[in-house]
Amino acid sequence: MDRDGWVRVATGTNVGGRAAGSGVRRRVFVWVGLAAVAAIVAVVLLGNAAAERLAESDAVSDAARIADITGVGVVAPLVTDALLDGDPAARTELEEVVRKSVLRNGAVRVKIWDADGTIVFSDEERLIGQRFELDEDEREALAGTVVQAEPTDVDEPENVHERAFGRLLEAYRPVTTPGGTTVLFEEYFRYDVVGERAASLRRGFGAVTIGSVLLLALLLAPLVIRLAVLLRRGRAERTELLTHALEASDTERRRIAAGLHDGVVQDLAGTSFVLTGALSRVDEPVRTELGAAGGTVRASIAALRTLLVDIYPSSLARAGLTAALDDATALLRSHGVDVRVAVDESTIRTEAQQQLVFRVVQEALRNVARHARATSVDVRVVRDGGAAIAEVSDDGVGFDVPTMLASPPTGHFGLRVLRDTVGASGAVLDVRSRPGGGTAWRLRWAP
């Protein structure tokens, strides 16, 4: 709806389809472009998620492998019963090895736990001797032989001194002392390695996938262009068929109108004259019956002539649009409706425009007669800036436009007729109405 209250009802397409074809091509390319962009965005998002998961999985595997090597080859030989008993010399020896061989190779913290959850060694001295509850994974690792690793948010109480590092990777494996006591060796690594590895994967993965999408788009471009050409051609052919169908319909209406006028109407007119002439030669009872029959025949002639105007007004081709519209408003005038018609004939350049304007105005007047309960109607065909308009407005009951357009009431075919009439014309049809506020139909086209 525009600011003046007009709502678009129908938009015609030009015969030949050039403008429409260009619009179709633009829409096709826009949709293909949007689809390509959406595919690239989806690939990037999915690639980022996949790279993050893969990088984390690889980092966890590396942490487990390093912890396994470190635990067996570096730490295990120095984890003795003396260390568990708190011997300072054993602790110092292990600490020197840990700082030189473990912490310098990517680890940030080392802990050794006994079975009851006491930390018997750590490079962070404040942790030594503290006891924490072992979780299920740690107890399972302590009882088995498999190295376990996982990301940790260092939010557990035993990680209070690691929180400055942010999120970490932790790996742990069991280690047995020479005396046969099993302890849990735990090693922490920076989680930053995950981000670095993910970035590396994204660069490689992104280059391949985005390049593949762009290559696919380039390969599909000729097919899209071909489809657009075929679509335009098909649209042009359909429009041409519709035009031929409308022309055939117009020719058929002329034929039917001529047949009715020259046949049935003339026969009825002759019958009316015969009945009128016979009235003076018969007695009163028969004269009354003949008079009634003559009235019926004349009424039938009037009804047929009104139908002929609806089917194909002879005045449209013979006397022009103004005369044809005057004929079309005769029914409303006969019911006491004040009808004003103003036509600028210079707005009509072709017979097709003349036919279009008449059909749209005629159907709008039928809607007024059927539904509007109007007392006055204005019909005007004028220039409006660079366009020409045909407008039919009434002071009737009006209607709710959005509701009518969304779901026309059963039996109301006027809107469908108007849409079909404008469909192949290159014109546009708007409506403005509100309950109790009358209705206006406006047809616009290039003069």
Side-chain angles (χ1 to χ4, degrees), residues 32-243:
V32 170
L34 291 176
V37 171
I40 291 174
V41 170
V43 165
V44 169
L45 293 177
L46 292 174
N48 284 343
E52 190 73 27
R53 288 195 296 270
L54 183 59
E56 184 175 273
S57 176
D58 285 350
V60 168
S61 297
D62 285 350
R65 179 176 52 83
I66 293 171
D68 189 32
I69 294 172
T70 301
V72 174
V74 178
V75 175
L78 299 176
V79 178
T80 61
D81 294 313
L83 177 71
L84 301 184
D85 293 336
D87 181 15
R91 181 183 302 168
T92 300
E93 183 181 10
L94 178 57
E95 184 175 356
E96 289 178 358
V97 172
V98 166
R99 293 191 181 281
K100 290 180 181 180
S101 303
V102 179
L103 297 182
R104 289 184 180 180
N105 293 325
V108 297
R109 179 74 71 235
V110 169
K111 299 175 186 176
I112 297 177
W113 305 69
D114 65 14
D116 65 359
T118 300
I119 298 177
V120 296
F121 173 81
S122 175
D123 61 288
E124 172 56 66
E125 293 185 0
R126 289 174 292 182
L127 289 172
I128 298 175
Q130 293 192 39
R131 184 179 181 277
F132 302 96
E133 186 71 23
L134 294 176
D135 62 29
E136 184 178 351
D137 290 338
E138 291 169 329
R139 290 194 299 271
E140 184 178 329
L142 188 62
T145 59
V146 179
V147 182
Q148 297 191 29
E150 61 187 4
T152 177
D153 292 324
V154 296
D155 52 1
E156 297 296 332
E158 67 267 20
N159 299 127
V160 63
H161 298 295
E162 289 83 59
R163 289 172 186 165
F165 298 112
R167 197 177 193 202
L168 297 173
L169 293 170
E170 63 175 342
Y172 33 85
R173 64 152 297 148
V175 173
T176 303
T177 68
T181 303
T182 301
V183 294
L184 187 66
F185 167 68
E186 186 172 25
E187 190 172 2
Y188 291 83
F189 303 87
R190 290 186 181 275
Y191 194 83
D192 296 347
V193 67
V194 174
E196 295 170 0
R197 190 165 299 180
S200 176
L201 289 171
R202 278 195 294 269
R203 286 191 294 270
F205 179 75
V208 172
T209 53
I210 293 176
S212 300
V213 171
L214 292 177
L215 179 60
L216 180 61
L218 290 176
L219 293 175
L220 288 177
L223 177 60
V224 172
I225 294 173
R226 177 61 178 167
L227 289 175
V229 171
L230 292 176
L231 184 61
R232 183 183 65 176
R233 185 180 302 168
R235 190 184 185 96
E237 290 175 354
R238 288 195 300 272
T239 302
E240 187 176 358
L241 288 174
L242 178 59
T243 302

Side-chain angles (χ1 to χ4, degrees), residues 240-264:
E240 187 176 358
L241 288 174
L242 178 59
T243 302
H244 291 328
L246 291 175
E247 291 174 352
S249 176
D250 186 63
T251 301
E252 185 65 14
R253 283 198 303 270
R254 292 187 188 186
R255 187 188 67 77
I256 293 173
L260 287 174
H261 183 271
D262 296 338
V264 176

Side-chain angles (χ1 to χ4, degrees), residues 310-311 359 361-371 417:
D310 285 343
I311 294 175
R359 292 302 174 195
V361 172
Q362 182 186 49
E363 188 58 39
L365 292 173
R366 286 173 178 166
N367 287 337
V368 173
R370 293 167 184 162
H371 312 297
V417 171

